[in-house]
């Protein structure tokens, strides 16, 4: 539960900062993929969106392994909440 709260707070900070006019669609896709997709699909999305260094991919996958322990129902709830927050920031 602590990890999901951390992800929510980071999302709020990034998308609702006064200097931002809108949420980057790539960020929204990456965040939703992080919560919902399996590891292999998420890794593909990461490479397509931003092609980060291998160390970054490994770090994100390590965190994803922790979030995958959250039930799918709760991850979907977190994803829907984040989408609503991002839509309200536009």
């Amino acid at each position: 539960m602590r990890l999901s709260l951390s992800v929510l707070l980071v999302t709020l900070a990034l998308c609702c900062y006064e200097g931002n006019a809108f949420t980057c669609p790539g960020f929204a896709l990456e965040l939703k993929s992080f919560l919902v997709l399996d590891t292999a699909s998420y890794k593909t999305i990461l490479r397509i969106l931003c092609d980060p260094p291998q160390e970054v991919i490994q770090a994100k996958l390590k965190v994803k392994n922790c979030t995958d322990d959250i039930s799918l129902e709760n991850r979907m709830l977190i994803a829907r909440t984040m989408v609503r927050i991002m839509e309200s920031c536009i």
Side-chain angles (χ1 to χ4, degrees), residues 3 7 34 58-68:
L3 181 61
V7 172
F34 176 80
Q58 291 304 318
K60 285 184 173 250
L61 292 179
K62 190 174 181 180
V63 174
K64 180 163 177 37
N65 286 335
C66 293
T67 60
D68 286 347

Side-chain angles (χ1 to χ4, degrees), residues 7 10-12 14-15 23-33 49 86:
V7 172
V10 168
T11 302
L12 283 171
L14 291 175
C15 82
T23 302
C24 174
F27 174 71
L29 175 62
E30 192 267 331
L31 186 60
K32 186 176 178 186
S33 300
L49 289 177
M86 284 186 231

Side-chain angles (χ1 to χ4, degrees), residues 5-22:
L5 180 61
S6 299
V7 172
L8 179 62
L9 291 175
V10 168
T11 302
L12 283 171
L14 291 175
C15 82
C16 293
Y17 179 69
E18 290 180 20
N20 277 344
F22 60 93

Side-chain angles (χ1 to χ4, degrees), residues 20-81:
N20 277 344
F22 60 93
T23 302
C24 174
F27 174 71
L29 175 62
E30 192 267 331
L31 186 60
K32 186 176 178 186
S33 300
F34 176 80
L35 290 168
V36 178
L37 294 181
D38 62 287
T39 302
S41 300
Y42 177 65
K43 194 173 184 179
T44 303
I45 292 288
L46 274 179
R47 289 199 172 134
I48 290 171
L49 289 177
C50 54
D51 195 25
Q54 189 61 32
E55 300 85 31
V56 173
I57 292 174
Q58 291 304 318
K60 285 184 173 250
L61 292 179
K62 190 174 181 180
V63 174
K64 180 163 177 37
N65 286 335
C66 293
T67 60
D68 286 347
D69 290 339
I70 301 171
S71 71
L72 181 60
E73 181 182 331
N74 287 338
R75 284 186 283 151
M76 293 297 290
L77 181 62
I78 293 167
R80 281 192 298 262
T81 303

